[in-house]
Amino acid sequence: MKALCFMEFGPKEVLKLMEVPDPIIHEQEIIVRTKAIGVNYADIYRRKGNYHLEGEPPYILGYEGAGIVEAIGAGVKDINIGDRIAFADVPYANAELVAVPIDKAIPVPNDITFEQAAAVLLQGLTAGYLTADSFNVKQGDFVVVHSAAGGVGQLLVQMAKLKGAVVIAIASTSEKVAAAKKAGADHTLTYDGDWVASVKKLTDNKGADVVYDAVGATLMQSFEATKTGGTVVFYGMAGGDPPLIDPRMLMDTSKTLTGGDLWNVLQTRADRISRSGELFQLMAANRLLLPPITTFPLSEGQTAHGLLESRKNIGKIILLP
């Protein structure tokens, strides 16, 4: 099979389309012939050597995709050859064939395309747990969303609105502000101005109930923008490492700092299917609109990584085998 590989850590130029052995199927696994593969910042971090990788080169990136079942291992009972399956948190996805453990195999309804499934899973499931588990957004809550034009950001804005929140979105450029507004944000701010003061003004000087911070370096400002007794949810550090937090500040202000990992929330196949099913239903009803999808052939992985690293892309990047 063909796969997007690299032999050593480095810039996007290390990526090459190579011929590698087909994956070996094991018990409780299926082989999926991919039709669409999601590209995420984690792929860039792994390519650069910032994240741990197992095995030996050639390394294959990717953790998210969708396609058709081509083979079934021993012990698999409720999936058939030809079924439409999506997956997340499955390694070596930048390839024509992927071995998917049965507990991570998610059925895809016929009204959801492979590209849509590969575009929504990691980011949509993340937005779902952020608004339900990390902090349960309620009607009337003031919610601040950093990086609101990103893949998670736009879905986070929409999910908070579905729960009846007032959403204040922050983005870096006028184009990204427009994307956040299109996603449904009630108010939009940029990082150029004093966004903390603007949040205070919009919340009658009380501060937000919750701030979702995926920037990292803005963590202390996020606390300033949060009301007494409010919550900051830290789930990324696209803008740099977060500062150390003094727990005495949390005590004095009754504020909460929380994080979370999607796979600590979705621990069973039933959890994955249930949460994914909710996403698919919202999409089918046009209540959840996906950010724009930009596609590249698998052979143009370098170009796809370059676009993602430029931070000029708005929406999701998909590789097509």
Side-chain angles (χ1 to χ4, degrees):
M1 70 173 183
K2 289 183 172 60
L4 187 65
C5 305
F6 63 103
M7 302 298 293
E8 59 185 3
F9 300 118
K12 65 182 188 296
E13 286 76 16
V14 302
L15 295 171
K16 307 291 181 185
L17 190 67
M18 299 174 59
E19 192 74 30
V20 299
D22 291 356
I24 298 172
I25 191 169
H26 296 97
E27 188 175 353
Q28 296 293 322
E29 284 186 345
I30 58 175
I31 297 294
V32 172
R33 181 166 292 277
T34 54
K35 299 297 183 181
I37 302 163
V39 181
N40 298 283
Y41 275 104
D43 296 319
I44 291 174
Y45 298 146
R46 288 186 174 91
R47 189 199 74 218
K48 291 182 175 180
N50 301 125
Y51 281 7
H52 176 69
L53 276 173
E54 294 183 358
E56 300 293 332
Y59 296 115
I60 302 175
L61 293 173
Y63 275 77
E64 171 185 42
I68 297 173
V69 178
E70 189 158 295
I72 297 174
V76 176
K77 298 179 180 179
D78 59 347
I79 292 180
N80 300 305
I81 291 174
D83 283 357
R84 307 170 83 246
I85 291 292
F87 56 86
D89 195 30
V90 176
Y92 318 127
N94 283 189
E96 294 176 321
L97 298 171
V98 181
V100 178
I102 185 62
D103 65 335
K104 297 182 179 180
I106 297 167
V108 179
N110 290 328
D111 55 2
I112 302 296
T113 69
F114 291 120
E115 290 180 16
Q116 289 173 326
V120 77
L121 278 186
L122 278 176
Q123 295 174 339
L125 291 172
T126 296
Y129 95 81
L130 288 173
T131 53
D133 301 277
S134 295
F135 181 91
N136 188 15
V137 176
K138 301 177 294 300
Q139 177 81 29
D141 281 347
F142 281 93
V143 174
V144 173
V145 178
H146 281 279
S147 305
V152 174
Q154 291 187 54
L155 295 171
L156 192 52
V157 168
Q158 293 182 69
M159 289 191 176
K161 287 302 300 175
L162 286 172
K163 287 172 168 271
V166 178
V167 177
I168 304 170
I170 314 175
S172 57
T173 67
S174 57
E175 184 181 16
K176 291 185 176 183
V177 162
K181 192 73 175 176
K182 186 177 179 180
D186 298 281
H187 308 282
T188 53
L189 307 172
T190 67
Y191 291 104
D192 293 336
D194 187 348
W195 60 267
V196 173
S198 297
V199 170
K200 292 286 187 67
K201 184 176 180 180
L202 290 168
T203 57
D204 196 25
N205 289 320
K206 294 178 181 178
D209 293 276
V210 61
V211 176
Y212 289 101
D213 194 326
V215 179
T218 55
L219 197 58
M220 288 309 300
Q221 291 171 293
S222 293
F223 275 111
E224 291 179 44
T226 307
K227 73 176 187 180
T228 300
T231 298
V232 172
V233 180
F234 168 69
Y235 72 100
M237 44 190 175
D241 291 334
L244 297 176
I245 300 299
D246 187 343
R248 292 174 297 183
M249 179 274 290
L250 301 177
M251 179 180 68
D252 292 342
T253 60
S254 297
K255 295 181 181 181
T256 296
L257 171 64
T258 188
D261 181 87
L262 176 60
W263 310 120
N264 291 332
V265 176
L266 306 185
Q267 294 188 353
T268 68
R269 186 178 185 223
D271 291 335
R272 293 167 189 260
I273 291 176
S274 174
R275 297 278 182 122
S276 299
E278 292 172 5
L279 286 176
F280 294 149
Q281 288 175 9
L282 289 172
M283 291 164 61
N286 290 319
R287 299 184 66 204
L288 186 70
L289 303 179
L290 288 185
I293 296 174
T294 302
T295 63
F296 294 93
L298 185 60
S299 59
E300 296 181 15
Q302 288 187 15
T303 305
H305 273 234
L307 178 59
L308 187 60
E309 283 184 290
S310 74
R311 300 194 182 276
K312 294 179 180 178
N313 183 65
I314 295 177
K316 183 75 174 187
I317 297 174
I318 294 292
L319 295 174
L320 303 177

